[in-house]
Amino acid sequence: MSAPERIHTGRVLVVEGKYDAARLARLTDAMILPTGGFAIFSDRKRQQLLKELAARNGLILLTDSDRAGFQIRTYITNLVGAERVVQAYVPALPGKERRKAAPGKEGLLGVEGVPDELIRKSLRDALGPEAGPGSPAVRPGRAITYVDLYDWGLSGTAGAAERKYRLLEALGLPPRLSKKEMLEVFNRLYTFEQLDALVQAAGEG
């Protein structure tokens, strides 16, 4: 029996944490961006990134079903504008994730602990006809790759972490983006030629 097809969306899927992001990566081809929980309330650069991605691609929000999850959901919706967001909800199921010693404050499963079929349903219900076959929406032209990050000295070379930090700061992007997040964000916001020029201008290439 073949595995269920991954759900397609050109929208950026926003979740609370890295464990949610790792879980969702096998269920959808969307770009997934975690908020870092309540850190989003004070992280100005990640807020700005969410605004830019919402304007270009639209967002789909999938947070935990507890009070904290709804606070984050409401904050981001107000931040980027409700017209640029679709809301995906998981049911409030009692329990705890395997990696945790005890349940959360409200005793509910977070997104990472909800069964696959319920997460797929929540995404399909939220996306409607958008959840069709295809590839994620990226900017036209040659894609930016991991090899480019290496060539620019942003990954896998001596001093890469410092160069990456300086470039992301110069571009107004969150400096703590992971390599995967950084690559996806670059492909959403820039063409290869645009970013190459910016890297050279910043003296990172």
Side-chain angles (χ1 to χ4, degrees):
M1 184 176 176
S2 61
E5 184 179 346
R6 293 165 80 205
I7 294 173
H8 164 70
T9 175
R11 292 178 181 268
V12 175
L13 176 58
V14 179
V15 296
E16 290 183 51
K18 63 181 181 180
Y19 293 103
D20 298 329
R23 171 73 192 290
L24 271 291
R26 59 188 174 84
L27 302 179
T28 175
D29 64 8
M31 173 185 170
I32 304 172
L33 194 64
T35 68
F38 285 153
I40 190 61
F41 296 161
S42 58
D43 189 338
R44 302 301 179 199
K45 290 187 175 177
R46 192 158 290 239
Q47 291 170 17
Q48 184 58 37
L49 177 58
L50 285 174
K51 288 180 183 179
E52 290 185 31
L53 292 171
R56 289 176 182 271
N57 302 96
L59 306 182
I60 176 168
L61 298 186
L62 182 61
T63 61
D64 293 350
S65 56
D66 58 7
R67 180 187 174 116
F70 274 81
Q71 287 178 318
I72 292 168
R73 181 189 295 276
T74 300
Y75 178 81
I76 294 173
T77 301
N78 291 334
L79 176 73
V80 305
E83 72 280 2
R84 292 173 172 164
V85 175
V86 295
Q87 308 283 351
Y89 300 96
V90 291
L93 300 175
K96 72 173 185 67
E97 290 73 34
R98 292 179 186 175
R99 66 182 177 84
K100 295 181 179 177
K105 190 180 296 185
E106 296 178 34
L108 301 175
L109 282 176
V111 167
E112 66 171 289
V114 174
D116 287 357
E117 62 273 16
L118 293 181
I119 291 179
R120 287 194 181 94
K121 183 178 187 305
S122 74
L123 293 176
R124 288 197 186 98
D125 287 348
L127 291 166
E130 286 185 37
S135 301
V138 296
R139 294 182 66 78
R142 169 182 166 334
I144 299 161
T145 67
Y146 286 114
V147 174
D148 295 324
L149 300 185
Y150 177 84
D151 289 344
W152 288 326
L154 302 175
S155 173
T157 60
E162 183 180 346
R163 282 191 291 273
K164 167 193 161 186
Y165 187 93
R166 286 201 309 265
L167 178 64
L168 292 175
E169 280 279 318
L171 297 177
L173 294 171
R176 291 181 178 82
L177 289 176
S178 70
K179 184 167 70 172
K180 182 175 184 292
E181 289 171 349
M182 181 171 65
L183 186 66
E184 291 181 321
V185 167
F186 284 166
N187 274 305
R188 294 295 176 118
L189 299 182
Y190 304 100
T191 64
F192 169 81
E193 292 77 15
Q194 287 172 335
L195 189 59
D196 186 52
L198 289 168
V199 169
Q200 302 306 324
E204 305 296 353

